[in-house]
Amino acid sequence: MLDFRQLQALATVIEEQSFDRAAKRLFLTQSAISQRIKQLEESTGQLLLIRSQPLKLTPAGQQLQRHYHQVSLLQSELLHSLSNTQEEGFTRLTIGLNADSLATWFMAAMQPLLEQSPVLLDLRVDDQEQTHQLLKQGDVLGCISASSKPLQGGNAVPLGISRYLALASPEYIERYFPQGVSSEALTNAPAVEYNEKDDLQDNFISAFFPGVERYPRHRVPSSEAFTELIRRGLAWGMVPDLQMNAQINSGEVKEIAAGMSLEVPLYWHSWNLVSNFSQQLTHQLVNYCHIHLEQPEI
Amino acid sequence: MLDFRQLQALATVIEEQSFDRAAKRLFLTQSAISQRIKQLEESTGQLLLIRSQPLKLTPAGQQLQRHYHQVSLLQSELLHSLSNTQEEGFTRLTIGLNADSLATWFMAAMQPLLEQSPVLLDLRVDDQEQTHQLLKQGDVLGCISASSKPLQGGNAVPLGISRYLALASPEYIERYFPQGVSSEALTNAPAVEYNEKDDLQDNFISAFFPGVERYPRHRVPSSEAFTELIRRGLAWGMVPDLQMNAQINSGEVKEIAAGMSLEVPLYWHSWNLVSNFSQQLTHQLVNYCHIHLEQPEI
């Protein structure tokens, strides 16, 4: 049987990325934290923690972390049902999601659960292709991902489609695309991308305007600053229609090439847990998205 | 004399975090990229690149990267003044900044420069304490930081003060602080923090409500989702007054404890470069901030 306090020490050091902060959070000394992790490594016969900056888990450490998060969830539900209303009664939901879901519909979908239950969100933002990795490593309990493939021991439920439009301001379009969009015009027109993993602009170009070898691009790792650059007439970029609906309707921004859009399907992935919160969470996300996100045609 | 194409291969691999993407961007094969980096390591007699995930530079590699960015800037200005208007004529400005500056005033301050000059932004978002590190490593040409201390060979110019207020919705305040804020009430009231490095909520509590040992907190690594959680009445948190001015004026959110705020001074750090763009950038940021940010009393 694994010692739960040792698992907690390991998981907390990773969450806080510091022995010192983990010690404070658990009301322990740093050396007690170190010792617990060492004992866990001895009892499992495996190296679990890579003591570098940033602190990282080995694959064995990741498995233990996943186990810890799953047991914690079950345990805090138990405490909650025993109507413990102290701070310890809060349940931490670690969720991986893409920045655009967070910037558009996610908080609205979570509101009822957050209002009704003593739940704390712990969000990790990453590319829709990378969030899957967070789930696999045990960093999160569930994630929103573009991948439809469930992990072994996990579930994948379709949420809907995020439709990306290529948007720019009317002034921008007049300046850079006076004769309409073409491969040549795109070569000189500044785009914006979220980060090095964001390939939506590349995908748009290769789908509709092949032959562009490269094009200038800003890098702005914030969904809102990304749309701000577009609104200010400084770049074109791929934005979920949900995010700029108001500006599209008011004419503040428009599609650079009408009718050319990209679809990114979104799935909710979680571990198969007989956990109330986890089931409620899935239920709530799915219900919300089936109403508010575009659904694939059947 | 260092081979500039080798430096470019090294810097591009780090920017793209992939040999494959770096090769595509430079129109080279992967093995050509590998070879250039190896040659650079041989000619400098130092290990430069740590070939792990994520790809990292050694301290020697960081020095070379810094040099590369500085020379690139000077070079692209030269090309620009030779009125090369092709894609190569765009100058990349890599800037480190905190999420709250990006969410509030940064884009407005940059607009004139972006409109007038062929400049591409490459932004790295990190905590105001960490951006300094990005500059030191040579990842960025300039950064916005809370530290007033210039790096050796660098400049630090005060921009102004970012004032943080502890905000929540009126419904939230009624629910969690019916008798006003106290250390005891804070123990059970969910807060929101940006990430594990965000200590503004901690600082607020220790400055004004000592004796709170711990308190429940959401973690939401997006400035806008952070304020959304507050607007929706689900948490209290520290927000720059600039960011929620409209909501404060409309009464949608208010200070949980009037008159208790934190000041974070902001400084612009850059290398001492005889570069036009770099001087223009500094000039423009300082001018904008001196008008739009709160200035310290003299």
Side-chain angles (χ1 to χ4, degrees), chain B residues 8-22:
Chain B
Q8 186 186 35
L10 182 69
T12 309
V13 162
I14 287 295
E15 271 176 42
E16 296 291 336
Q17 279 293 313
S18 141
F19 277 78
D20 181 35
R21 281 194 297 263

Side-chain angles (χ1 to χ4, degrees), chain A residues 9 84 92 107 116 159 164 173 223:
Chain A
N84 177 333
R92 220 172 175 74
M107 284 294 179
Q116 288 151 27
L159 293 174
Y164 283 81
I173 292 173
S223 272

Side-chain angles (χ1 to χ4, degrees), chain A residues 59 62-63 65-66 130-141 143 149 151-152 269 271:
Chain A
Q62 291 174 4
Q63 280 180 286
Q65 186 188 20
R66 197 153 76 204
Q130 307 294 319
T131 50
H132 218 213
Q133 194 54 29
L134 294 174
L135 184 65
K136 206 166 161 186
Q137 289 165 203
D139 286 332
V140 299
L141 280 165
C143 74
K149 211 180 133 204
L151 294 173
Q152 212 188 342
H269 290 255
W271 296 106

Side-chain angles (χ1 to χ4, degrees), chain B residues 10-282:
Chain B
L10 182 69
T12 309
V13 162
I14 287 295
E15 271 176 42
E16 296 291 336
Q17 279 293 313
S18 141
F19 277 78
D20 181 35
R21 281 194 297 263
K24 281 199 187 123
R25 195 165 124 197
L26 300 178
F27 297 106
L28 292 169
T29 61
Q30 276 200 47
S31 77
I33 296 271
S34 287
Q35 213 181 356
R36 287 186 185 184
I37 295 175
K38 233 176 266 161
Q39 286 164 347
L40 191 60
E41 289 182 324
E42 280 162 17
S43 72
T44 56
Q46 301 255 20
L47 179 70
L48 302 173
L49 183 69
I50 302 167
R51 288 152 177 89
S52 62
Q53 271 310 324
L55 291 160
K56 271 188 202 162
L57 293 172
T58 62
Q62 292 174 3
Q63 281 181 286
L64 289 178
Q65 186 188 22
R66 197 153 78 203
H67 174 72
Y68 170 74
H69 280 300
Q70 294 175 349
V71 174
S72 303
L73 184 65
L74 294 171
Q75 199 173 86
S76 62
E77 280 183 16
L78 178 66
L79 289 173
H80 180 226
S81 75
L82 296 174
S83 62
N84 178 334
T85 56
Q86 293 312 297
E87 198 245 309
E88 289 76 11
F90 278 96
T91 298
R92 225 176 170 73
L93 296 179
T94 51
I95 297 173
L97 78 173
N98 58 322
D100 289 333
S101 291
L102 183 55
T104 50
W105 56 269
F106 183 76
M107 284 294 180
M110 292 300 295
Q111 180 144 18
L113 184 63
L114 293 176
E115 276 176 351
Q116 289 150 26
S117 312
V119 161
L120 296 172
L121 291 180
D122 189 348
L123 304 182
R124 314 289 162 89
V125 173
D126 210 329
D127 195 76
Q128 57 262 28
E129 315 288 338
Q130 306 294 319
T131 49
H132 219 213
Q133 195 54 30
L134 294 174
L135 184 65
K136 208 165 159 186
Q137 289 166 201
D139 286 333
V140 298
L141 280 165
C143 75
I144 294 164
S145 158
S147 162
S148 64
K149 212 180 131 206
L151 295 174
Q152 212 187 341
N155 270 314
V157 191
L159 293 174
I161 287 168
S162 189
R163 181 171 299 282
Y164 283 81
L165 307 177
L167 298 177
S169 75
E171 301 73 32
Y172 181 95
I173 291 172
E174 202 170 304
R175 173 168 175 192
Y176 289 100
F177 307 126
Q179 263 95 53
V181 182
S182 64
S183 299
E184 205 197 334
L186 284 167
T187 308
N188 293 304
V192 53
E193 63 186 15
Y194 184 81
N195 62 17
E196 77 279 4
K197 296 173 199 159
D198 173 13
D199 49 13
L200 285 163
Q201 287 66 231
D202 282 355
N203 293 348
F204 174 81
I205 289 182
S206 37
F208 302 112
F209 299 95
V212 177
E213 283 196 333
R214 50 178 173 172
Y215 56 99
R217 41 187 125 178
H218 299 279
R219 251 188 214 172
V220 178
S222 146
S223 272
E224 287 78 9
F226 187 107
T227 57
E228 191 180 347
L229 205 64
I230 292 172
R231 275 202 335 264
R232 288 180 178 276
L234 299 167
W236 74 270
M238 302 301 293
V239 183
D241 53 2
L242 273 184
Q243 195 172 0
M244 297 198 93
N245 247 337
Q247 290 86 355
I248 293 169
N249 290 336
S250 74
E252 201 188 335
V253 301
K254 30 189 232 181
E255 287 184 72
I256 63 174
M260 297 178 188
S261 63
L262 298 179
E263 292 182 0
V264 175
L266 296 176
Y267 295 84
W268 169 247
H269 290 254
S270 60
W271 295 105
N272 289 328
L273 271 181
V274 197
S275 145
N276 245 323
F277 278 132
S278 158
Q279 283 172 359
Q280 264 185 52
L281 178 61
T282 299

